[in-house]
Amino acid sequence: QVQLVESGGGLVQPGGSLRLSCAASTSIFSIDNMGWYRQAPGKQRELVAAITDYGSTNYADSVKGRFTISRDNALNTGYLQMNGLKPEDTAVYYCHVVVRLTSRSTVDSWGQGTRVTVSS
């Protein structure tokens, strides 16, 4: 079991930057994969960026070149650096992790969400 606490959202102007943080509770269990999703008004939740335990990353086409996902395993914290923000990025952003309980089983956990609003 892992509890996720997100922070870093807010109101920014187009072209601005934000860094989202996702802090996981201390646990003896390891985190395999971490990702950031977002859900805009009237739309379904979509994957923004993901990072594996090996450090491999992938991004939605809409954010490539602007967003960077990273993780600090020592701090059990993930980050999403968002640069060049656009109004289309306005959404509630959710952290998601896949936690390994045993060699054969995993569970996933979601953060509470942090709101990002990009507007002039």
Side-chain angles (χ1 to χ4, degrees):
Q1 182 180 8
V2 174
Q3 298 179 66
L4 304 179
V5 178
E6 300 181 38
S7 62
L11 173 64
V12 297
Q13 295 184 355
S17 298
L18 286 173
R19 189 180 75 162
L20 307 183
S21 297
C22 175
S25 62
T26 58
S27 174
I28 64 172
F29 305 117
S30 63
I31 298 174
D32 282 353
N33 300 323
M34 176 176 289
W36 288 93
Y37 292 72
R38 67 186 181 188
Q39 188 165 20
K43 300 184 66 177
Q44 292 188 319
R45 191 171 300 184
E46 64 174 344
L47 176 66
V48 176
I51 185 168
T52 71
D53 53 343
Y54 302 100
S56 179
T57 60
N58 64 278
Y59 299 89
D61 289 339
S62 60
V63 306
K64 287 181 179 177
R66 299 188 297 121
F67 291 9
T68 303
I69 188 172
S70 62
R71 62 192 292 172
D72 188 330
N73 291 332
L75 298 178
N76 288 326
T77 302
Y79 307 94
L80 184 68
Q81 179 67 46
M82 305 186 296
N83 299 324
L85 284 163
K86 304 176 180 179
E88 305 87 81
D89 297 318
T90 296
V92 176
Y93 285 71
Y94 297 90
C95 180
H96 176 260
V97 299
V98 176
V99 180
R100 181 163 297 281
L101 301 178
T102 71
S103 62
R104 293 188 178 89
S105 65
T106 60
V107 298
D108 63 335
S109 181
W110 291 90
Q112 84 282 3
T114 184
R115 184 176 298 275
V116 172
T117 303
V118 185
S119 176
S120 59

